[in-house]
Amino acid sequence: GAAARQDTAACKRVLTMRVVASPQEEAKINALFDEKDLDKSGGLDAAQMKDFMQEYVRTTPGNEEKLVSDAEVKCVFFTSHVTAWH
Protein backbone atom coordinates (compact mmCIF):
# COMPACT_ATOMS: atom_id res chain seq x y z
CA GLY A 1 0.00 0.00 0.00
CA ALA A 2 0.90 3.65 0.27
CA ALA A 3 2.87 3.19 3.49
CA ALA A 4 5.06 0.51 1.93
CA ARG A 5 5.72 2.76 -1.05
CA GLN A 6 6.74 5.59 1.27
CA ASP A 7 9.06 3.19 3.07
CA THR A 8 10.71 2.16 -0.18
CA ALA A 9 11.15 5.78 -1.23
CA ALA A 10 13.08 6.14 2.02
CA CYS A 11 14.99 3.00 1.05
CA LYS A 12 16.15 4.72 -2.11
CA ARG A 13 17.67 7.42 0.08
CA VAL A 14 19.18 4.79 2.41
CA LEU A 15 20.81 2.94 -0.47
CA THR A 16 22.09 6.15 -1.96
CA MET A 17 23.53 7.34 1.36
CA ARG A 18 25.04 4.04 2.47
CA VAL A 19 26.19 2.38 -0.74
CA VAL A 20 27.27 5.20 -3.02
CA ALA A 21 30.98 5.64 -3.43
CA SER A 22 30.77 7.91 -6.46
CA PRO A 23 28.40 10.16 -8.40
CA GLN A 24 28.30 7.45 -11.09
CA GLU A 25 27.04 4.88 -8.57
CA GLU A 26 24.39 7.31 -7.30
CA ALA A 27 23.23 7.86 -10.89
CA LYS A 28 23.06 4.06 -11.39
CA ILE A 29 20.90 3.64 -8.27
CA ASN A 30 18.57 6.49 -9.22
CA ALA A 31 18.13 5.30 -12.81
CA LEU A 32 17.52 1.70 -11.76
CA PHE A 33 15.08 2.75 -9.03
CA ASP A 34 13.13 4.88 -11.50
CA GLU A 35 13.10 1.99 -14.00
CA LYS A 36 11.69 -0.43 -11.42
CA ASP A 37 9.08 2.09 -10.16
CA LEU A 38 6.60 0.92 -12.78
CA ASP A 39 3.71 3.12 -11.66
CA LYS A 40 5.99 6.13 -11.08
CA SER A 41 4.77 6.48 -7.49
CA GLY A 42 8.22 7.32 -6.11
CA GLY A 43 8.35 4.04 -4.17
CA LEU A 44 8.55 0.32 -4.77
CA ASP A 45 6.39 -2.52 -3.55
CA ALA A 46 8.09 -5.70 -2.31
CA ALA A 47 8.23 -7.36 -5.73
CA GLN A 48 9.60 -4.22 -7.36
CA MET A 49 12.14 -3.80 -4.56
CA LYS A 50 13.34 -7.37 -4.99
CA ASP A 51 13.65 -6.81 -8.73
CA PHE A 52 15.56 -3.55 -8.09
CA MET A 53 17.90 -5.21 -5.59
CA GLN A 54 18.52 -8.22 -7.83
CA GLU A 55 19.37 -6.02 -10.80
CA TYR A 56 21.61 -3.79 -8.70
CA VAL A 57 23.48 -6.75 -7.23
CA ARG A 58 23.74 -8.49 -10.63
CA THR A 59 25.38 -5.41 -12.15
CA THR A 60 27.89 -5.06 -9.32
CA PRO A 61 31.26 -6.62 -10.20
CA GLY A 62 31.82 -9.90 -8.37
CA ASN A 63 28.13 -10.42 -7.59
CA GLU A 64 26.79 -11.45 -11.00
CA GLU A 65 25.55 -14.83 -9.71
CA LYS A 66 24.25 -13.70 -6.29
CA LEU A 67 20.53 -14.01 -5.69
CA VAL A 68 18.65 -11.61 -3.44
CA SER A 69 16.58 -13.35 -0.78
CA ASP A 70 13.19 -12.35 0.56
CA ALA A 71 14.87 -11.83 3.93
CA GLU A 72 17.25 -9.30 2.39
CA VAL A 73 14.33 -7.45 0.87
CA LYS A 74 12.57 -7.40 4.25
CA CYS A 75 15.75 -6.09 5.84
CA VAL A 76 15.91 -3.21 3.38
CA PHE A 77 12.24 -2.43 4.00
CA PHE A 78 12.87 -2.47 7.77
CA THR A 79 16.00 -0.33 7.47
CA SER A 80 14.23 2.21 5.29
CA HIS A 81 11.28 2.34 7.69
CA VAL A 82 13.50 2.91 10.73
CA THR A 83 15.64 5.48 8.88
CA ALA A 84 12.53 7.35 7.68
CA TRP A 85 11.51 7.97 11.29
CA HIS A 86 14.89 9.14 12.59
Side-chain angles (χ1 to χ4, degrees):
R5 289 185 182 279
Q6 277 186 318
D7 288 349
T8 58
C11 179
K12 180 180 177 182
R13 292 188 299 276
V14 169
L15 287 170
T16 300
M17 290 185 312
R18 294 187 180 185
V19 175
V20 173
S22 69
Q24 294 83 6
E25 197 67 17
E26 183 175 0
K28 174 184 169 182
I29 289 170
N30 287 330
L32 186 57
F33 191 96
D34 291 344
E35 176 187 321
K36 301 303 178 183
D37 180 12
L38 299 178
D39 61 4
K40 305 304 177 204
S41 66
L44 304 177
D45 63 26
Q48 292 169 328
M49 176 57 75
K50 187 169 186 176
D51 191 32
F52 166 82
M53 291 173 66
Q54 188 63 61
E55 182 76 12
Y56 180 79
V57 168
R58 187 184 64 76
T59 60
T60 303
N63 290 318
E64 295 85 358
E65 302 299 319
K66 184 179 182 321
L67 297 176
V68 174
S69 71
D70 290 339
E72 289 170 313
V73 174
K74 287 179 184 179
C75 180
V76 170
F77 268 96
F78 176 77
T79 301
S80 65
H81 179 73
V82 169
T83 302
W85 292 103
H86 289 91

